[in-house]
């Protein structure tokens, strides 16, 4: 064997990964599923216990149980998690437990009372989401995790222990499919003085959402028709707001909005065929709350309703700083009825100096009202770069003559911006 081949053979057996700094190795291991993480113990003697000091543990459904094991008995699954925690040596900063839909095993109070003491001293990111089977109540021991900066949980009933002193370091709170006992949501939020991000999805047990957290910057709220009032006036630093109606809303739902919003997304319910956006956000709130908005998304708009179309125009007139606009049309009205063009959209009193990007998606049957809106936007947006008009929503196809007519109309529309590019998709 030549010296070259001998050296090459030696190089093949060099364990370069083991020679990496410990923080780099931990960074690699943190991205492995729990099954692959434990499997690294068979790589070599040096790796046998290396996984036990990784500060991140993720038990996320199929990442730690194969598909054919999703119906394992609960005691077997619980023992797997318990054994991992018992063998772990070192602080755990991130712990994720996600039980997926379709699983027969459940998280019991006894399990959580066993696992949380392993985490409570050091854990900063905690996720407990139970989509498998229903658990009656979140155990009080979870509230002993005082170092939390991110907390996500779902599938529980929640009540606040009488001695709860708050999550003083919590920045990010995500709640999904949680049923709150009376006053629990308010107590939880008020106990998070540094909270910056809040996401609430498909939760129950409250009808009034009045929040006054001064540190809150991002809020996402998915609500149903049982929500009676939303008041955000005191959330003075809220800059990113998303509201999604799951199955409709009551008129006059939003009582107040913060004044410094920069991003606003409002998604109407597919099942609600009567209420329009003017019913959820009163026109009186537009001038005071939309003055700083840079990104606006309105989804499931009923453009066939003349009142809705005029309301969108009033929204645009109230948003002088708007940079990006995204509108999706949803309509189940009688499309055989011709659109009402008795009054033209007023352009003279509006100038959208900052608007650069517009995306409009509609059902193929309701293009005339969208064309009126596009004509208004092109005529008033002096800095517009791109307007994309997509008629791909819906199942009905437009014939070639209609598509040609739309294309010609788009080309002939007056444009306040000479560099504005109009893209027509179908």
């Amino acid at each position: 064997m030549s010296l070259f081949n001998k050296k090459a053979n030696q190089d093949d057996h060099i364990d370069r990964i083991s020679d990496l700094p410990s923080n780099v190795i931990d960074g690699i291991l943190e991205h492995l599923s729990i099954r692959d993480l434990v499997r690294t113990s068979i790589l070599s003697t040096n790796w046998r216990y290396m996984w036990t000091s990784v500060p991140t543990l993720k038990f996320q459904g199929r990442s730690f149980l194969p598909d054919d094991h999703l119906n394992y008995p609960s005691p077997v699954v619980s023992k797997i998690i318990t054994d991992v925690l018992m063998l772990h040596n070192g602080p755990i900063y991130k712990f994720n437990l996600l039980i997926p839909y379709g699983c027969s095993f459940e998280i019991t109070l006894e399990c959580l009372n066993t696992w949380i003491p392993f985490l409570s001293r050091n854990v900063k990111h905690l996720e407990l989401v139970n989509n498998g089977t229903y658990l009656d109540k979140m155990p009080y021991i979870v509230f002993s995790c005082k170092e939390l900066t991110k907390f996500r949980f779902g599938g529980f009933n929640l009540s606040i222990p009488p001695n709860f002193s708050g999550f003083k370091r919590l920045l990010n709170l995500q709640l999904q499919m949680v049923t709150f006992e009376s006053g629990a949501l308010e107590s939880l939020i008020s106990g998070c003085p540094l909270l910056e991000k809040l996401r609430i999805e498909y939760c129950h047990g409250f009808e009034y959402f009045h929040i006054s957290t001064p540190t809150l910057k991002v809020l996402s709220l998915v609500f149903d028709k049982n929500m009676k009032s939303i008041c955000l006036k005191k959330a003075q630093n809220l800059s990113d707001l998303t509201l999604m109606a799951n199955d409709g809303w009551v008129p006059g739902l939003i009582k107040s909005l913060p004044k410094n919003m920069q991003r606003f997304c409002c998604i109407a319910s597919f099942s609600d065929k009567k209420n329009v956006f003017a019913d959820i956000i009163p026109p009186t709130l537009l001038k005071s709350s939309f003055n700083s908005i840079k990104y606006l998304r309105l989804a499931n708009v009923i453009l066939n309703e003349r009142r809705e179309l005029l309301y969108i125009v009033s929204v645009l007139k109230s948003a002088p700083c708007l940079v990006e606009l995204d509108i999706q049309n949803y309509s189940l009205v009688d499309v055989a009825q011709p659109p009402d063009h008795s009054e033209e959209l007023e352009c003279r009193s509006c100038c959208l100096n900052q608007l650069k990007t517009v995306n409009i998606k509609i059902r193929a049957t309701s293009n005339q009202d969208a064309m009126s809106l596009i004509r208004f936007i092109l005529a008033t947006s002096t800095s517009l770069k791109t307007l994309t008009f997509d008629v791909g929503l819906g199942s009905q196809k437009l014939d070639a003559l209609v598509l040609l007519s739309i294309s010609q109309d788009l080309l002939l529309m007056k444009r306040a911006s000479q560099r504005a590019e109009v893209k027509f998709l179908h």
Side-chain angles (χ1 to χ4, degrees):
M1 179 182 297
S2 68
L3 290 176
F4 177 80
N5 290 336
K6 183 176 181 179
K7 185 179 186 304
N9 190 45
Q10 290 175 346
D11 289 343
D12 289 342
H13 291 84
I14 293 177
D15 185 358
R16 300 186 185 277
I17 295 181
S18 297
D19 291 335
L20 293 173
S22 58
N23 63 324
V24 176
I25 294 177
D26 286 344
I28 295 173
L29 295 179
E30 285 180 14
H31 290 84
L32 298 180
S33 68
I34 192 66
R35 281 194 298 162
D36 292 335
L37 181 61
V38 176
R39 285 171 178 170
T40 61
S41 62
I42 66 173
L43 294 178
S44 68
T45 303
N46 293 337
W47 282 77
R48 185 171 183 180
Y49 297 107
M50 197 172 292
W51 70 271
T52 63
S53 62
V54 175
T56 298
L57 295 179
K58 298 179 181 179
F59 299 91
Q60 295 180 327
R62 292 170 175 82
S63 69
F64 79 100
L65 287 178
D67 289 345
D68 55 343
H69 292 171
L70 289 178
N71 292 321
Y72 263 19
S74 296
V76 176
V77 178
S78 300
K79 187 176 185 303
I80 293 174
I81 299 174
T82 302
D83 287 347
V84 170
L85 290 172
M86 291 287 289
L87 291 171
H88 194 274
N89 180 25
I92 300 173
Y93 296 126
K94 297 181 182 180
F95 183 83
N96 298 353
L97 175 59
L98 173 59
I99 306 301
Y101 293 101
C103 293
S104 63
F105 58 85
E106 61 182 12
I107 306 174
T108 64
L109 291 176
E110 181 182 0
C111 292
L112 289 175
N113 286 328
T114 300
W115 300 335
I116 295 301
F118 290 98
L119 312 172
S120 58
R121 180 176 298 180
N122 299 296
V123 67
K124 299 181 183 300
H125 292 193
L126 178 61
E127 298 190 19
L128 300 173
V129 180
N130 181 27
N131 293 326
T133 54
Y134 185 74
L135 179 63
D136 191 30
K137 183 178 290 188
M138 172 76 76
Y140 283 168
I141 195 171
V142 172
F143 294 92
S144 66
C145 301
K146 300 298 184 181
E147 298 298 314
L148 286 179
T149 59
K150 180 179 179 180
F151 188 19
R152 176 190 175 206
F153 67 93
F156 299 94
N157 277 357
L158 182 69
S159 62
I160 304 297
N163 61 343
F164 177 55
S165 59
F167 294 122
K168 303 301 184 183
R169 301 177 184 272
L170 194 66
L171 303 175
N172 190 331
L173 178 61
Q174 300 178 27
L175 315 168
Q176 60 187 79
M177 296 183 296
V178 175
T179 299
F180 296 95
E181 295 191 4
S182 178
L185 178 60
E186 293 82 356
S187 298
L188 177 60
I189 294 177
S190 63
C192 305
L194 300 181
L195 190 64
E196 294 181 356
K197 296 182 180 180
L198 176 61
R199 185 176 182 88
I200 301 177
E201 296 180 336
Y202 309 108
C203 295
H204 305 280
F206 62 98
E207 297 178 338
Y208 299 89
F209 188 79
H210 295 181
I211 191 170
S212 57
T213 305
T215 57
L216 192 64
K217 298 178 181 178
V218 181
L219 171 63
S220 178
L221 179 62
V222 180
F223 56 90
D224 59 23
K225 59 185 177 182
N226 294 316
M227 182 73 74
K228 294 181 178 179
S229 175
I230 297 176
C231 183
L232 303 173
K233 183 178 181 179
K234 294 183 179 180
Q236 299 175 356
N237 291 306
L238 183 62
S239 60
D240 189 335
L241 175 62
T242 298
L243 298 176
M244 178 177 177
N246 187 29
D247 58 354
W249 57 57
V250 297
L253 174 66
I254 298 181
K255 307 301 181 184
S256 65
L257 291 170
K259 293 184 178 181
N260 298 315
M261 284 194 305
Q262 295 190 12
R263 294 178 61 87
F264 180 64
C265 175
C266 192
I267 305 172
S269 171
F270 279 104
S271 61
D272 195 339
K273 307 173 187 178
K274 297 180 180 179
N275 289 327
V276 292
F277 277 88
D279 293 324
I280 188 173
I281 308 175
T284 53
L285 288 180
L286 295 180
K287 290 185 178 180
S288 61
S289 301
F290 281 51
N291 193 53
S292 301
I293 282 185
K294 295 182 179 180
Y295 172 83
L296 175 64
R297 181 187 177 210
L298 301 177
N300 302 335
V301 177
I302 307 176
L303 283 180
N304 299 58
E305 290 283 344
R306 183 69 179 179
R307 184 162 70 102
E308 186 88 307
L309 190 62
L310 294 176
Y311 178 76
I312 292 176
V313 171
S314 67
V315 169
L316 296 179
K317 290 181 178 180
S318 302
C321 297
L322 189 64
V323 175
E324 183 174 353
L325 174 66
D326 190 350
I327 292 179
Q328 176 184 327
N329 178 63
Y330 169 70
S331 175
L332 289 178
V333 300
D334 183 9
V335 296
Q337 183 178 355
D340 179 12
H341 295 299
S342 58
E343 55 178 305
E344 200 60 41
L345 297 180
E346 178 62 49
C347 300
R348 288 174 296 178
S349 61
C350 179
C351 185
L352 303 173
N353 293 325
Q354 304 297 321
L355 188 60
K356 291 180 172 60
T357 305
V358 176
N359 296 292
I360 298 178
K361 294 183 179 181
I362 69 165
R363 287 195 173 219
T365 55
S366 57
N367 65 82
Q368 290 300 326
D369 297 280
M371 294 291 281
S372 296
L373 180 59
I374 291 173
R375 185 177 292 107
F376 170 83
I377 292 173
L378 288 176
T380 56
S381 304
T382 58
S383 301
L384 187 66
K385 292 182 178 179
T386 305
L387 186 149
T388 302
F389 183 36
D390 187 349
V391 296
L393 294 180
S395 57
Q396 182 174 344
K397 293 183 178 180
L398 298 176
D399 61 41
L401 291 178
V402 174
L403 294 175
L404 178 60
S405 175
I406 294 174
S407 299
Q408 291 175 339
D409 287 346
L410 290 173
L411 287 173
L412 294 174
M413 288 181 184
K414 294 181 179 180
R415 307 181 188 188
S417 172
Q418 295 182 353
R419 57 179 178 174
E421 177 185 4
V422 178
K423 299 180 180 178
F424 179 40
L425 307 178
H426 55 87

